[in-house]
Amino acid sequence: MDFTLSEEQLMIQQAAKDFAQNELLPEVIERDDAQKFPAEQVKSMGELGFLGMMVDEKYGGSGLDTLSYVLVMEELSKVDASASVVVSVNNSLVCWGLETFGSENQKQKYLTRLASGEIIGAFCLSEPEAGSDATSQKTTAIDKGDHYVINGTKNWITNGGTAEVYLVIAQTDVEKGHKGINALIVEKGMEGFEIGPKENKLGIRGSDTHSLLFNDVKVPKENRIGEDGFGFKFAMKTLAGGRIGIAAQALGIATGAYELAKKYSKERKAFGTEIANHQAIAFKLADMHTKIQAARHLVYQAACDKDNGNDYTLSGAMAKLYASEVAMETAVEAVQIHGGNGFVKDYHVERMMRDAKITQIYEGTSEIQKIVISRSILKD
Ligand code: CAA
């Protein structure tokens, strides 16, 4: 396995690093405090091509590989996980799903604008009673001939208030179970579609998370993605790639927290020397570095599996499971190394600790990743 980056990948990585330092870092604490969506930064990321990274250039994307996308996610997440989740959802869950399974008409109408960053999208699967148990959809999309009528509620939707296009998973035929589920494209402003209140969250507070309410929303049949009944498979296939993006986000948070802790430990003095000279601190850094490197290998492997046309459901789930646990552990230790300073906002690591937690929850909890992994390794 050779993860040597190409000239192009190194340039993209550097561009993301510069953007994170120059555009995301300056007001990241204030945005977190105020739960402010990074609107201007998202616009700039669109201009840089970060919002449709893997989409073909003919649909307004950057035409890059998954590894480049992972490198960008990692760099952005070192600084601002609220901004990077917008990139992850738009790229992996919205653009990828539309490009891979959408009709030509849907690509022309929606993908081109999403990939260029003109608008952003949201992926709407979770419900009050269908989070991990995703086949238990209560939102209905009743077939009325030339259109569907959607009723129900979706929860915890990233980009919920700011998106213009929503990929909504809903049950059309209850008798058919998961084979009776459809994925429909809903536009902001469609009659009966209402955006619920914004969630007040522990972490990624700058990201825009809402519940969504559907009350007799009429959606034309041409907005269905794939064949009738393809909606659950669409969600699962899309999430398999989405998990690589979240794994990269977790890797970035871990790396960002580790780098801050390392720097601090070489500056802060206690008992007559820099704290890095105390083995208690040096060993923490050694553990962090080792685990981050192991996580990086899993994440890059999953990205390469996707780029090489290999199955990536297992490698993506392993990458997300491990990287998110390393992110949480590393961020907690980074706060510990910072001592009292770690507990106040100015030093960034307390925010990273709060942000890390969501990587163990969204796009499939750690427990769901273990279901995916164990089913995969036990099937033969
Ligand atoms: N690719 C293709 N098909 C898949 C698949 C995959 N990766 N995983 C499952 N399927 C198919 C199965 O083959 C099966 O189809 P068949 O009957 O034709 O064989 C069908 O889907 C149902 O699968 P299961 O019987 O395995 O279903 P299950 O009820 O046991 O659940 C699960 C499987 C993996 C636990 C699934 O429910 C799951 O992934 N749950 C977590 C959902 C999730 O990740 N939610 C995150 C919300 S999105 C989000 O967080 C976005 C955000 O805003 C950041």
Side-chain angles (χ1 to χ4, degrees):
M1 266 167 271
D2 180 9
F3 296 129
T4 309
L5 302 178
S6 67
E7 282 291 310
E8 189 184 43
Q9 287 164 337
L10 286 168
M11 272 172 55
I12 291 158
Q13 185 183 44
Q14 189 61 46
K17 194 184 184 102
D18 292 344
F19 179 80
Q21 287 302 317
N22 300 333
E23 308 295 329
L24 294 178
L25 185 59
E27 287 179 7
V28 65
I29 294 173
E30 291 75 11
R31 285 196 301 276
D32 173 74
D33 245 359
Q35 300 197 76
K36 186 173 175 225
F37 182 75
E40 280 167 37
Q41 290 80 357
V42 169
K43 189 168 174 286
S44 305
M45 290 194 289
E47 285 157 11
L48 283 167
F50 291 170
L51 292 178
M53 292 194 66
M54 296 164 288
V55 175
D56 197 308
E57 283 162 308
K58 74 175 174 187
Y59 297 118
S62 303
L64 295 166
D65 57 8
T66 313
L67 188 54
S68 301
Y69 161 59
V70 156
L71 295 171
V72 167
M73 278 300 298
E74 196 181 331
E75 290 305 325
L76 302 176
S77 308
K78 279 186 195 174
V79 175
D80 186 355
S82 294
S84 72
V85 71
V86 181
V87 174
S88 182
V89 167
N90 206 65
N91 274 284
S92 302
L93 299 186
V94 181
C95 287
W96 187 84
L98 273 175
E99 185 170 29
T100 311
F101 303 111
S103 67
E104 188 55 33
N105 187 34
Q106 290 166 355
K107 291 181 203 180
Q108 294 296 344
K109 189 166 175 193
Y110 301 110
L111 181 60
T112 47
R113 295 167 65 211
L114 288 159
S116 64
E118 183 190 328
I119 56 170
I120 58 170
F123 180 83
C124 315
L125 172 69
S126 303
E127 297 188 355
E129 290 172 72
S132 291
D133 184 8
T135 56
S136 295
Q137 294 289 306
K138 298 280 185 297
T139 299
T140 52
I142 303 304
D143 190 337
K144 297 281 183 186
D146 65 344
H147 66 274
Y148 289 94
V149 174
I150 308 185
N151 276 290
T153 305
K154 293 288 173 184
N155 263 30
W156 313 295
I157 304 303
T158 304
N159 301 340
T162 34
E164 294 288 332
V165 169
Y166 299 77
L167 307 188
V168 179
I169 315 298
Q171 189 84 43
T172 295
D173 188 339
V174 183
E175 303 284 300
K176 289 188 181 158
H178 72 78
K179 292 190 167 77
I181 290 175
N182 279 308
L184 304 174
I185 305 170
V186 174
E187 293 177 28
K188 184 179 254 163
M190 279 182 167
E191 209 181 324
F193 174 34
E194 206 184 306
I195 293 158
K198 185 170 169 141
E199 301 289 355
N200 185 2
K201 308 192 295 292
L202 170 77
I204 55 163
R205 287 171 58 80
S207 93
D208 182 45
T209 313
H210 290 255
S211 50
L212 303 175
L213 313 167
F214 300 86
N215 188 8
D216 286 335
V217 181
K218 265 176 81 171
V219 179
K221 235 179 199 162
E222 67 206 33
N223 280 24
R224 187 185 71 212
I225 303 173
E227 294 299 306
D228 183 32
F230 180 64
F232 191 72
K233 288 248 159 106
F234 170 81
M236 289 297 109
K237 284 171 184 278
T238 305
L239 277 167
R243 288 166 183 163
I244 302 174
I246 300 304
Q249 180 186 48
L251 176 62
I253 296 170
T255 310
Y258 161 76
E259 286 175 356
L260 288 174
K262 187 169 106 175
K263 182 167 176 288
Y264 184 82
S265 70
K266 288 163 93 174
E267 290 165 2
R268 171 79 178 181
K269 287 191 177 151
F271 304 103
T273 185
E274 288 79 15
I275 61 171
N277 294 326
H278 297 299
Q279 203 176 57
I281 303 297
F283 278 17
K284 278 190 198 298
L285 292 167
D287 282 340
M288 288 156 111
H289 183 68
T290 306
K291 288 178 183 176
I292 288 170
Q293 273 301 90
R296 182 166 289 112
H297 278 88
L298 283 174
V299 178
Y300 289 11
Q301 180 62 56
C304 290
D305 279 344
K306 186 158 175 284
D307 287 334
N308 294 333
N310 300 328
D311 185 67
Y312 51 87
T313 304
L314 173 62
S315 55
M318 291 196 301
K320 182 182 182 286
L321 172 68
Y322 189 70
S324 63
E325 295 194 345
V326 171
M328 196 65 244
E329 207 180 307
T330 305
V332 168
E333 286 295 58
V335 171
Q336 190 70 15
I337 290 173
H338 280 76
N341 283 329
F343 209 64
V344 296
K345 297 198 179 250
D346 298 358
Y347 286 78
H348 297 280
V349 284
E350 66 80 33
R351 184 185 72 258
M352 292 171 163
M353 187 178 89
R354 289 185 285 105
D355 288 352
K357 188 62 205 165
I358 193 59
T359 67
Q360 295 179 305
I361 298 174
Y362 59 17
E363 300 205 23
T365 60
S366 290
E367 292 74 15
I368 290 294
Q369 304 315 319
K370 287 182 192 179
I371 292 180
V372 174
I373 295 165
S374 57
R375 283 184 183 172
S376 174
I377 58 178
L378 289 169
K379 75 174 179 238
D380 44 39

Short mmCIF file of all heavy atoms in Angstrom, two decimals, residues 235-272:
data_model
loop_
_atom_site.label_atom_id
_atom_site.label_comp_id
_atom_site.label_asym_id
_atom_site.label_seq_id
_atom_site.Cartn_x
_atom_site.Cartn_y
_atom_site.Cartn_z
N ALA A 235 -29.98 5.11 0.18
CA ALA A 235 -29.47 5.67 1.44
C ALA A 235 -28.26 4.89 1.93
O ALA A 235 -27.25 5.48 2.35
CB ALA A 235 -30.57 5.67 2.50
N MET A 236 -28.33 3.57 1.88
CA MET A 236 -27.23 2.74 2.39
C MET A 236 -25.96 2.90 1.55
O MET A 236 -24.86 3.03 2.07
CB MET A 236 -27.64 1.26 2.41
CG MET A 236 -28.67 0.92 3.46
SD MET A 236 -28.06 1.18 5.16
CE MET A 236 -28.98 2.60 5.65
N LYS A 237 -26.15 2.91 0.23
CA LYS A 237 -24.98 3.05 -0.66
C LYS A 237 -24.35 4.42 -0.49
O LYS A 237 -23.12 4.57 -0.50
CB LYS A 237 -25.38 2.82 -2.12
CG LYS A 237 -25.62 1.36 -2.48
CD LYS A 237 -26.22 1.24 -3.88
CE LYS A 237 -26.58 -0.18 -4.24
NZ LYS A 237 -25.45 -0.96 -4.73
N THR A 238 -25.18 5.43 -0.34
CA THR A 238 -24.68 6.79 -0.19
C THR A 238 -23.95 6.94 1.14
O THR A 238 -22.85 7.50 1.21
CB THR A 238 -25.85 7.79 -0.30
OG1 THR A 238 -26.51 7.54 -1.54
CG2 THR A 238 -25.39 9.22 -0.27
N LEU A 239 -24.56 6.38 2.19
CA LEU A 239 -23.92 6.48 3.52
C LEU A 239 -22.60 5.71 3.59
O LEU A 239 -21.70 6.11 4.34
CB LEU A 239 -24.87 5.95 4.60
CG LEU A 239 -25.93 6.95 5.09
CD1 LEU A 239 -27.00 6.24 5.91
CD2 LEU A 239 -25.28 8.06 5.93
N ALA A 240 -22.48 4.64 2.81
CA ALA A 240 -21.21 3.88 2.83
C ALA A 240 -20.04 4.80 2.44
O ALA A 240 -18.96 4.74 3.04
CB ALA A 240 -21.30 2.69 1.88
N GLY A 241 -20.26 5.68 1.48
CA GLY A 241 -19.22 6.65 1.09
C GLY A 241 -19.17 7.82 2.05
O GLY A 241 -18.09 8.35 2.34
N GLY A 242 -20.34 8.23 2.55
CA GLY A 242 -20.40 9.34 3.50
C GLY A 242 -19.53 9.07 4.72
O GLY A 242 -18.89 9.97 5.26
N ARG A 243 -19.50 7.81 5.11
CA ARG A 243 -18.74 7.45 6.32
C ARG A 243 -17.24 7.69 6.13
O ARG A 243 -16.53 7.95 7.10
CB ARG A 243 -19.06 6.00 6.70
CG ARG A 243 -20.47 5.91 7.26
CD ARG A 243 -21.04 4.52 7.36
NE ARG A 243 -22.43 4.63 7.85
CZ ARG A 243 -23.34 3.67 7.76
NH1 ARG A 243 -23.03 2.51 7.19
NH2 ARG A 243 -24.57 3.86 8.22
N ILE A 244 -16.77 7.63 4.90
CA ILE A 244 -15.35 7.93 4.65
C ILE A 244 -15.10 9.42 4.92
O ILE A 244 -14.09 9.81 5.52
CB ILE A 244 -14.93 7.56 3.21
CG1 ILE A 244 -15.19 6.07 2.94
CG2 ILE A 244 -13.46 7.92 2.96
CD1 ILE A 244 -14.95 5.63 1.49
N GLY A 245 -16.05 10.26 4.51
CA GLY A 245 -15.93 11.71 4.76
C GLY A 245 -15.93 12.02 6.25
O GLY A 245 -15.13 12.84 6.73
N ILE A 246 -16.81 11.37 7.00
CA ILE A 246 -16.87 11.62 8.45
C ILE A 246 -15.62 11.04 9.14
O ILE A 246 -15.10 11.63 10.09
CB ILE A 246 -18.16 11.05 9.07
CG1 ILE A 246 -19.40 11.71 8.44
CG2 ILE A 246 -18.18 11.24 10.59
CD1 ILE A 246 -19.45 13.24 8.52
N ALA A 247 -15.13 9.92 8.62
CA ALA A 247 -13.88 9.37 9.16
C ALA A 247 -12.75 10.39 8.96
O ALA A 247 -11.92 10.60 9.87
CB ALA A 247 -13.54 8.06 8.46
N ALA A 248 -12.72 11.04 7.81
CA ALA A 248 -11.69 12.05 7.55
C ALA A 248 -11.90 13.27 8.44
O ALA A 248 -10.93 13.91 8.89
CB ALA A 248 -11.74 12.46 6.08
N GLN A 249 -13.15 13.59 8.71
CA GLN A 249 -13.42 14.70 9.63
C GLN A 249 -12.87 14.36 11.02
O GLN A 249 -12.19 15.18 11.67
CB GLN A 249 -14.94 14.95 9.73
CG GLN A 249 -15.28 16.09 10.67
CD GLN A 249 -16.77 16.25 10.88
OE1 GLN A 249 -17.48 15.28 11.13
NE2 GLN A 249 -17.24 17.47 10.76
N ALA A 250 -13.13 13.13 11.48
CA ALA A 250 -12.64 12.70 12.79
C ALA A 250 -11.11 12.73 12.82
O ALA A 250 -10.50 13.19 13.80
CB ALA A 250 -13.15 11.29 13.09
N LEU A 251 -10.50 12.26 11.74
CA LEU A 251 -9.04 12.27 11.65
C LEU A 251 -8.51 13.70 11.76
O LEU A 251 -7.51 13.96 12.45
CB LEU A 251 -8.64 11.64 10.30
CG LEU A 251 -7.16 11.64 9.94
CD1 LEU A 251 -6.35 10.83 10.95
CD2 LEU A 251 -6.98 11.04 8.54
N GLY A 252 -9.19 14.63 11.11
CA GLY A 252 -8.78 16.04 11.17
C GLY A 252 -8.91 16.61 12.57
O GLY A 252 -8.01 17.30 13.05
N ILE A 253 -10.02 16.32 13.24
CA ILE A 253 -10.21 16.83 14.61
C ILE A 253 -9.09 16.26 15.51
O ILE A 253 -8.47 17.00 16.29
CB ILE A 253 -11.60 16.44 15.16
CG1 ILE A 253 -12.72 17.09 14.35
CG2 ILE A 253 -11.73 16.82 16.64
CD1 ILE A 253 -14.14 16.59 14.67
N ALA A 254 -8.83 14.97 15.37
CA ALA A 254 -7.78 14.33 16.19
C ALA A 254 -6.43 15.00 15.92
O ALA A 254 -5.69 15.35 16.86
CB ALA A 254 -7.70 12.84 15.87
N THR A 255 -6.11 15.21 14.67
CA THR A 255 -4.82 15.79 14.31
C THR A 255 -4.71 17.23 14.81
O THR A 255 -3.67 17.64 15.34
CB THR A 255 -4.61 15.73 12.78
OG1 THR A 255 -4.87 14.40 12.35
CG2 THR A 255 -3.20 16.11 12.38
N GLY A 256 -5.80 17.98 14.65
CA GLY A 256 -5.80 19.38 15.11
C GLY A 256 -5.57 19.46 16.62
O GLY A 256 -4.75 20.26 17.10
N ALA A 257 -6.25 18.60 17.36
CA ALA A 257 -6.12 18.60 18.83
C ALA A 257 -4.72 18.16 19.24
O ALA A 257 -4.10 18.75 20.14
CB ALA A 257 -7.18 17.68 19.45
N TYR A 258 -4.20 17.16 18.56
CA TYR A 258 -2.84 16.66 18.85
C TYR A 258 -1.80 17.75 18.58
O TYR A 258 -0.90 17.98 19.40
CB TYR A 258 -2.58 15.41 18.00
CG TYR A 258 -1.11 15.07 17.84
CD1 TYR A 258 -0.41 14.48 18.88
CD2 TYR A 258 -0.45 15.34 16.65
CE1 TYR A 258 0.94 14.18 18.75
CE2 TYR A 258 0.89 15.05 16.49
CZ TYR A 258 1.59 14.47 17.55
OH TYR A 258 2.92 14.19 17.41
N GLU A 259 -1.92 18.42 17.44
CA GLU A 259 -0.93 19.46 17.10
C GLU A 259 -0.94 20.60 18.13
O GLU A 259 0.12 21.10 18.52
CB GLU A 259 -1.17 19.99 15.68
CG GLU A 259 -0.73 18.98 14.64
CD GLU A 259 -1.06 19.39 13.20
OE1 GLU A 259 -1.70 20.44 13.00
OE2 GLU A 259 -0.67 18.64 12.28
N LEU A 260 -2.13 20.97 18.58
CA LEU A 260 -2.21 22.03 19.60
C LEU A 260 -1.59 21.56 20.92
O LEU A 260 -0.87 22.31 21.59
CB LEU A 260 -3.66 22.46 19.83
CG LEU A 260 -4.31 23.27 18.70
CD1 LEU A 260 -5.79 23.49 18.98
CD2 LEU A 260 -3.61 24.62 18.52
N ALA A 261 -1.87 20.30 21.27
CA ALA A 261 -1.34 19.77 22.54
C ALA A 261 0.19 19.67 22.49
O ALA A 261 0.88 19.99 23.46
CB ALA A 261 -1.96 18.40 22.82
N LYS A 262 0.71 19.26 21.35
CA LYS A 262 2.17 19.13 21.19
C LYS A 262 2.83 20.51 21.33
O LYS A 262 3.81 20.68 22.08
CB LYS A 262 2.49 18.51 19.83
CG LYS A 262 3.95 18.17 19.66
CD LYS A 262 4.18 17.32 18.44
CE LYS A 262 4.80 18.13 17.34
NZ LYS A 262 5.15 17.37 16.16
N LYS A 263 2.26 21.48 20.63
CA LYS A 263 2.82 22.84 20.68
C LYS A 263 2.78 23.37 22.11
O LYS A 263 3.78 23.89 22.62
CB LYS A 263 1.98 23.74 19.74
CG LYS A 263 2.44 25.16 19.61
CD LYS A 263 1.72 25.81 18.42
CE LYS A 263 2.07 27.28 18.27
NZ LYS A 263 1.48 28.13 19.30
N TYR A 264 1.65 23.20 22.75
CA TYR A 264 1.48 23.72 24.12
C TYR A 264 2.48 23.05 25.07
O TYR A 264 3.08 23.72 25.92
CB TYR A 264 0.05 23.44 24.59
CG TYR A 264 -0.29 24.02 25.94
CD1 TYR A 264 -0.65 25.35 26.08
CD2 TYR A 264 -0.25 23.21 27.08
CE1 TYR A 264 -0.95 25.88 27.33
CE2 TYR A 264 -0.55 23.74 28.33
CZ TYR A 264 -0.91 25.07 28.45
OH TYR A 264 -1.21 25.59 29.68
N SER A 265 2.67 21.76 24.89
CA SER A 265 3.54 21.03 25.84
C SER A 265 5.01 21.41 25.67
O SER A 265 5.82 21.18 26.57
CB SER A 265 3.35 19.52 25.67
OG SER A 265 3.91 19.12 24.44
N LYS A 266 5.34 22.02 24.53
CA LYS A 266 6.74 22.47 24.35
C LYS A 266 6.93 23.91 24.82
O LYS A 266 8.04 24.42 24.87
CB LYS A 266 7.14 22.33 22.87
CG LYS A 266 7.33 20.86 22.49
CD LYS A 266 7.32 20.65 21.01
CE LYS A 266 8.71 20.68 20.43
NZ LYS A 266 8.69 20.34 19.00
N GLU A 267 5.82 24.59 25.13
CA GLU A 267 5.89 25.98 25.59
C GLU A 267 5.65 26.10 27.10
O GLU A 267 6.32 26.84 27.80
CB GLU A 267 4.83 26.82 24.85
CG GLU A 267 5.16 27.02 23.37
CD GLU A 267 3.98 27.52 22.55
OE1 GLU A 267 2.89 27.76 23.12
OE2 GLU A 267 4.13 27.62 21.33
N ARG A 268 4.68 25.37 27.58
CA ARG A 268 4.24 25.48 28.97
C ARG A 268 5.28 24.84 29.91
O ARG A 268 5.71 23.70 29.67
CB ARG A 268 2.90 24.77 29.11
CG ARG A 268 2.41 24.60 30.51
CD ARG A 268 1.80 25.88 31.02
NE ARG A 268 1.27 25.68 32.37
CZ ARG A 268 0.66 26.63 33.05
NH1 ARG A 268 0.49 27.82 32.53
NH2 ARG A 268 0.22 26.39 34.25
N LYS A 269 5.63 25.58 30.93
CA LYS A 269 6.62 25.03 31.88
C LYS A 269 5.94 24.66 33.19
O LYS A 269 5.04 25.36 33.66
CB LYS A 269 7.70 26.06 32.15
CG LYS A 269 8.65 26.22 30.98
CD LYS A 269 9.86 27.04 31.38
CE LYS A 269 10.81 27.12 30.21
NZ LYS A 269 11.60 28.30 30.18
N ALA A 270 6.40 23.57 33.80
CA ALA A 270 5.96 23.19 35.15
C ALA A 270 7.09 22.38 35.78
O ALA A 270 7.79 21.62 35.07
CB ALA A 270 4.70 22.35 35.08
N PHE A 271 7.30 22.56 37.03
CA PHE A 271 8.39 21.88 37.75
C PHE A 271 9.74 22.14 37.07
O PHE A 271 10.55 21.24 36.88
CB PHE A 271 8.11 20.37 37.88
CG PHE A 271 6.80 20.07 38.55
CD1 PHE A 271 5.70 19.68 37.81
CD2 PHE A 271 6.66 20.23 39.93
CE1 PHE A 271 4.48 19.43 38.41
CE2 PHE A 271 5.43 19.97 40.55
CZ PHE A 271 4.34 19.58 39.79
N GLY A 272 9.92 23.38 36.61
CA GLY A 272 11.23 23.80 36.10
C GLY A 272 11.56 23.42 34.68
O GLY A 272 12.68 23.65 34.21
#
